[in-house]
Amino acid sequence: MLAISSSTPNPASQVAAARTGDRRAWNALYEEHAPAVHAVLLTRVDPVEADDLVQDTFVRALERLDQLKEDQAFGPWVLTIARNLAHSHHRRRWRWTHLTRVLVFRPPPTAEAREALDAIRALPEAYRELMMMRLVEGMTGPEIAARTGRTPGSVRVSLHRGMKLLRAALGGSDV
Amino acid sequence: MSDYLNDRTGTPDPEVQRLESALRPHRWRKRPSPVPALAIATIAMAAAASVLLAVAWGLSGPSEPGGWSSVTAACTGCTWEIGDTLDTTEGAKARIADRGSVVAAQGAVLTRLDSDTGARFRLERGTIDVEVDAPPEWLVIETPGVEVVDLGCAYTLTVDEQGKGGIIVRSGAVALVGDTRTEVLAGSAAATWDSGYTGLPVRVDAPVELVRAVDAWDSGASDDVMPLCQAAGPEDLTTLFHLLGRLERDELRAKVVDSLLELVPGEAPVDRDALIAGDESEMDELHGLLIGLW
């Protein structure tokens, strides 16, 4: 039987505290959920754009925190904000004010990384984000489940299937 | 087999490691959280940054000797060796390495086989109850005609004297692999035949009309898809998905695709026409979507 122990406070109580202006609670939410948000954005935008969009996502989340109906669902909710932002980002003008700063801090992907990122982006939608969370952000299956609201069993099976498809796409054996 | 992909335990998978190494530079890098300029306690940030979920593997109940020990009428604590058939004159219970356990009902014929990648049994007949916490495909159970591939779960498997069987999955998921393939998710059941046919999965608490329609379809008594489409509800998507995978005629596929898409919450990001045409990548998309809803 899988037992998950966590020293992370209950997300609902963190959200409630953040609403009252508790910066420490807000920072904790940000640091806990930013990797998953980043992974979701990487499935849709280039690495150089993903960093800025992570910030934008949390700005929007903070602005709309009062609209969150179930505090426990903060994880899936903030991921939805990220997806919507990525979608509208493609229709916005290029943000020159951020470009230089991001380029300074992010080297371009190696050929191997580029191939892997492209292959992950080409996976069926249900696997793309999970595989980014696992392979780029280094999140475990249980951590992914905790951030996305999915069951650990579903994440485990999806990672397994996603990796099978990824191996085939990258030309490896379908283990 | 390690579970490195799921939780980084066990022997690392070299290909997963290679990808992790190539992609690590693209990991999210901590930046100040986007809040209006206020004093932020650096100690609090450092503490929050170091918090990780810790995953502890274990089985419930008091610790028992590890390995492949068994409890039977003949012996308590004997090792269950490769090639041995459990003595089930009064039922039996055995440990499956340190990954789980199997309980065999009286009269079950269950033999441990050799395996390169985990554990493998043969259930010739009878009923067993399995509870395993292991990476997908670590445990495989052969039955007449069909292999039961554990995807990390607990289930009850039965094979009768004629080689016909059934499985009820209590948690996790199982793949039945024969001439057809069926993924049975928690809360569902499916039948198997020694011909290699694997039945459609159906929820154990599905409406009786759906259960009857699945029975009729699986047994060959009916080739009409409409009773299945009409009886299925939003929780029966995997039943319809497996049905879709067994149809060749476009007009039948169209009926099932339309029923499926009506039941999927929200707007499904799949192409109806491509699904009707049997496009593999579209079927993969739909499959992934349904697992995500599980």
Side-chain angles (χ1 to χ4, degrees):
Chain A
M1 180 166 300
L2 180 65
I4 299 175
S5 64
S6 169
S7 53
T8 307
N10 183 314
S13 60
Q14 284 179 313
V15 170
R19 262 201 207 95
T20 65
D22 184 338
R23 297 306 172 194
R24 187 178 302 186
W26 175 249
N27 289 341
L29 281 170
Y30 169 71
E31 299 213 10
E32 196 173 311
H33 293 274
V37 166
H38 187 249
V40 161
L41 290 167
L42 271 184
T43 66
R44 291 161 170 80
V45 303
D46 265 357
V48 291
E49 299 167 290
D51 288 334
D52 277 349
L53 286 176
V54 169
Q55 302 299 90
D56 291 349
T57 298
F58 281 91
V59 166
R60 186 159 297 190
L62 186 58
E63 287 167 354
R64 296 179 179 185
L65 206 52
D66 285 339
Q67 296 174 25
L68 175 60
K69 291 185 186 127
E70 275 183 51
D71 291 355
Q72 196 73 22
F74 179 84
W77 177 73
V78 77
L79 295 182
T80 301
I81 293 176
R83 290 182 197 109
N84 291 339
L85 271 178
H87 180 68
S88 57
H89 173 74
H90 288 299
R91 293 182 285 126
R92 281 207 305 268
R93 291 181 60 188
W94 191 254
R95 296 169 63 186
W96 294 102
T97 52
H98 288 154
L99 183 59
T100 305
R101 186 182 72 204
V102 172
L103 282 176
V104 168
F105 292 104
R106 279 274 190 212
T110 62
E112 188 182 11
R114 171 59 69 189
E115 187 191 12
L117 287 170
D118 287 347
I120 295 172
R121 289 195 189 107
L123 290 174
E125 187 172 330
Y127 305 125
R128 242 174 256 162
E129 292 178 357
L130 300 193
M131 294 305 287
M132 282 291 190
M133 288 181 197
R134 174 62 187 87
L135 295 175
V136 177
E137 306 298 338
M139 296 166 68
T140 64
E143 288 170 337
I144 294 170
R147 301 296 183 276
T148 60
R150 289 179 58 168
T151 66
S154 162
V155 170
R156 189 188 209 175
V157 170
S158 295
L159 285 177
H160 179 74
R161 285 189 54 85
M163 192 62 209
K164 266 189 161 181
L165 293 171
L166 191 60
R167 277 187 225 269
L170 293 173
S173 60
D174 182 18
V175 176
Chain B
M1 185 183 284
S2 81
D3 206 10
Y4 185 76
L5 178 64
N6 186 51
D7 61 14
R8 294 205 294 273
T9 59
T11 308
D13 179 317
E15 187 153 3
V16 173
Q17 270 195 318
R18 183 181 63 78
L19 288 166
E20 286 177 313
S21 176
L23 295 170
R24 191 169 294 119
H26 300 284
R27 193 170 282 195
W28 174 72
R29 291 180 192 171
K30 194 169 65 179
R31 289 159 73 171
S33 74
V35 294
L38 279 175
I40 297 172
T42 53
I43 295 171
M45 278 184 71
S50 69
V51 164
L52 291 172
L53 286 174
V55 177
W57 287 97
L59 294 171
S60 58
S63 63
E64 300 170 24
W68 291 87
S69 59
S70 64
V71 176
T72 68
C75 178
T76 298
C78 291
T79 303
W80 189 16
E81 303 280 5
I82 292 171
D84 284 357
T85 299
L86 278 183
D87 170 10
T88 59
T89 48
E90 291 178 18
K93 179 173 180 172
R95 295 273 304 188
I96 307 174
D98 286 320
R99 298 284 195 178
S101 61
V102 57
V103 177
Q106 190 179 24
V109 180
L110 182 67
T111 305
R112 184 183 165 198
L113 304 178
D114 200 2
S115 170
D116 289 336
T117 52
R120 183 175 276 264
F121 308 145
R122 179 162 179 91
L123 177 66
E124 193 61 41
R125 63 177 174 275
T127 298
I128 59 174
D129 198 281
V130 178
E131 205 159 313
V132 164
D133 197 0
E137 302 183 9
W138 182 83
L139 170 63
V140 175
I141 301 179
E142 297 176 4
T143 70
V146 168
E147 279 189 350
V148 178
V149 182
D150 185 292
L151 300 177
C153 53
Y155 51 91
T156 301
L157 176 65
T158 296
V159 178
D160 68 14
E161 301 281 340
Q162 284 75 47
K164 185 170 182 289
I167 191 165
I168 298 176
V169 178
R170 293 193 303 283
S171 72
V174 158
L176 303 175
V177 181
D179 293 340
T180 52
R181 180 185 167 102
T182 298
E183 273 183 11
V184 190
L185 307 181
S188 295
T192 65
W193 277 259
D194 62 353
S195 61
Y197 178 77
T198 61
L200 300 179
V202 63
R203 277 184 304 126
V204 294
D205 52 3
V208 65
E209 295 81 11
L210 182 61
V211 176
R212 285 195 187 125
V214 166
D215 248 353
W217 175 270
D218 279 342
S219 65
S222 168
D223 60 2
D224 185 359
V225 302
M226 287 317 294
L228 290 139
C229 292
Q230 283 160 356
E235 294 168 302
D236 302 309
L237 297 174
T238 55
T239 306
L240 293 183
F241 175 76
H242 282 81
L243 176 64
L244 180 62
R246 305 202 182 173
L247 300 172
E248 290 182 5
R249 285 163 46 200
D250 280 5
E251 63 267 32
L252 294 182
R253 293 180 65 84
K255 288 179 185 171
V256 177
V257 167
D258 288 340
S259 296
L260 254 170
L261 295 183
E262 248 180 79
L263 292 170
V264 169
E267 197 163 323
V270 287
D271 185 306
R272 175 188 179 269
D273 293 338
L275 284 174
I276 293 170
D279 181 88
E280 263 190 48
S281 63
E282 210 62 28
M283 288 292 284
D284 268 343
E285 287 276 357
L286 180 60
H287 190 185
L289 173 68
L290 298 186
I291 291 184
L293 293 173
W294 166 38

